[in-house]
Amino acid sequence: MSDVEVADERHPIAASPEVKAKVMADFAAGAAESGMGRRKLIRNTMFGALSLVPLSGIVLLRDMGPLPEKKLRTTMWAKGLQLINMNTHEPLRPEDVAVGSLTFAMPEGLSEHDHDFQTQIAKAALMIVRIQPEDIKDKRELEWSHEGIVAFSKICTHVGCPISLYEQQTHHVLCPCHQSTFDLSDGARVIFGPAGHPFRSCGSA
Ligand code: FES
């Protein structure tokens, strides 16, 4: 490839006034010839058909089944439920969570054999990390954390991919789908990427 820089100027794409005038004249002549203005029945039928267009959208959406209502906003989590380590399937104890590690947890009572396991885990999976309390920048997060252990939803707030990458030095987590990056030491604030909201924390449930 040549390394000489070349600029190709873009040609104007607007039609000239003469061409525009000709098009408008042709259009007016066509409309007059067709007699559209006089044929009320055709015109009214056309307007009637156009007014039904939005209805087809509603019918299509209704065919997708009942609306989810609050089901997308609620998870299995409830006060008193134990966190279960998703790798060992054992209850997660504070001493199991080391500084710098990322652990995934699910609510007690959820089993991979449940018929709605995928639906529930897609909403309830948590990521658990331990941060030195002096490194936690967000005051509210510091209040609800336990000895520096914090729990956030594992589901990215962009379009819902599961988070998998954790950088222990910065406490940043990265979504593999579109690279949104969140700071777990600062209320899971979005620091990069298309996600519009921080992760939901257990402290804000
Ligand atoms: S789903 Fe996470 S950045 Fe898009």
Side-chain angles (χ1 to χ4, degrees):
M1 279 178 70
S2 163
D3 57 358
V4 179
E5 208 169 283
V6 178
D8 193 3
E9 294 301 330
R10 194 183 284 181
H11 303 293
I13 54 175
S16 67
E18 297 76 38
V19 172
K20 282 184 192 168
K22 170 101 175 59
V23 169
M24 291 311 292
D26 287 350
F27 181 78
E33 248 172 52
S34 70
M36 185 69 124
R38 295 191 307 276
R39 292 179 196 174
K40 278 194 181 154
L41 180 63
I42 296 176
R43 192 185 55 196
N44 291 345
T45 306
M46 190 179 76
F47 287 147
L50 285 175
S51 69
L52 291 176
V53 168
L55 210 55
S56 60
I58 294 171
V59 171
L60 274 176
L61 287 175
R62 279 199 67 83
D63 280 354
M64 292 173 81
L67 293 173
E69 295 173 351
K70 288 188 179 169
K71 285 187 200 146
L72 293 177
R73 293 167 182 251
T74 54
T75 70
M76 275 186 68
W77 286 106
K79 201 168 182 179
L81 277 187
Q82 275 193 316
L83 284 84
I84 304 297
N85 186 320
M86 284 175 65
N87 283 331
T88 64
H89 299 278
E90 295 293 328
L92 191 65
R93 296 165 307 166
E95 53 271 32
D96 298 334
V97 184
V99 172
S101 68
L102 174 64
T103 309
F104 296 124
M106 64 182 184
E108 169 191 9
L110 182 61
S111 161
E112 285 169 12
H113 304 297
D114 292 344
H115 72 282
D116 61 346
F117 176 77
Q118 292 300 341
T119 307
Q120 295 298 342
I121 199 67
K123 296 187 292 177
L126 294 184
M127 53 185 164
I128 316 289
V129 298
R130 187 194 284 269
I131 302 172
Q132 298 291 7
E134 59 272 22
D135 290 341
I136 298 180
K137 300 175 199 129
D138 184 279
K139 283 205 178 73
R140 283 178 48 219
E141 181 178 344
L142 192 56
E143 275 165 23
W144 60 255
S145 64
H146 174 73
E147 297 172 0
I149 298 174
V150 293
F152 289 96
S153 166
K154 186 188 172 194
I155 310 305
C156 179
T157 57
H158 181 218
V159 287
C161 285
I163 297 296
S164 54
L165 300 167
Y166 175 55
E167 195 183 45
Q168 54 176 292
Q169 303 295 331
T170 57
H171 311 299
H172 292 173
V173 286
L174 177 80
C175 175
C177 288
H178 313 100
Q179 283 72 52
S180 283
T181 309
F182 305 80
D183 184 353
L184 295 192
S185 69
D186 195 8
R189 184 171 60 85
V190 182
I191 55 173
F192 179 79
H197 306 281
F199 285 119
R200 194 163 171 80
S201 68
C202 285
S204 65

